[in-house]
Amino acid sequence: MDNDQILDINKALSNVTRLEVLDWLKNPASNFPPHKELGHFNDGVCGQLIQEKAGLSQSTISHYLNSMQKVGLLIATRHGKWTYFKRNEEVIQEYIRTLTKRL
């Protein structure tokens, strides 16, 4: 992971709500109601449910989720008109390993 990637992820994580979202998505079944449409959390959590839990406007949470997806922290999957988000564990672990080596 290069310096630009580290700095981009740091920027994405420099917000309490974004940190909370990553925490909530660590165990979606404990933090969100079951999906009526899908019946599972394999593709993550619907952005609308994340927005409701965060208590933020749709545009704000959409911006947060997109910025986290852009730096690779989240994976988005579309089902009909809904977008589902889950943690990208591979990138998160690479980020942690890189910080551990370098700091």
Side-chain angles (χ1 to χ4, degrees), residues 1 8-9 12 22 65-75 86-92:
M1 186 169 283
D8 288 342
I9 290 173
L22 280 178
L65 294 171
N66 287 333
S67 67
M68 292 167 66
Q69 180 189 359
K70 185 178 176 183
V71 300
L73 293 172
L74 296 179
I75 298 169
K86 68 179 180 178
R87 291 164 50 106
N88 186 341
E89 296 298 339
E90 187 177 309
V91 169
I92 292 168

Side-chain angles (χ1 to χ4, degrees), residues 25 42-47 50 62 65-70 72-79 82-88:
L25 293 177
N42 297 347
D43 292 325
V45 175
C46 179
I50 297 170
S62 197
L65 294 171
N66 287 333
S67 67
M68 292 167 66
Q69 180 189 359
K70 185 178 176 183
L73 293 172
L74 296 179
I75 298 169
T77 304
R78 193 94 173 148
H79 287 280
W82 306 108
T83 303
Y84 292 76
F85 295 89
K86 68 179 180 178
R87 291 164 50 106
N88 186 341

Side-chain angles (χ1 to χ4, degrees), residues 2 21 27 39 44 47 54 57-58 61 66 69 79 85:
D2 67 25
V21 168
N27 189 354
S57 70
Q58 189 277 329
I61 202 68
N66 287 333
Q69 180 189 359
H79 287 280
F85 295 89

Side-chain angles (χ1 to χ4, degrees), residues 5-34:
Q5 290 171 301
I6 292 168
L7 292 174
D8 288 342
I9 290 173
N10 287 345
K11 288 177 194 173
L13 295 177
S14 67
N15 175 288
V16 171
T17 302
R18 292 178 199 161
L19 288 172
E20 288 176 335
V21 168
L22 280 178
D23 187 40
W24 298 335
L25 293 177
K26 200 173 200 178
N27 189 354
S30 295
N31 292 294
F32 297 96

Side-chain angles (χ1 to χ4, degrees), residues 3 8 10 23 27 35 41 51-52 63 65 83 98 100:
N3 288 339
D8 288 342
N10 287 345
D23 187 40
N27 189 354
H35 293 294
F41 291 103
Q51 183 252 321
E52 290 170 4
H63 172 73
L65 294 171
T83 303
T98 301
T100 301

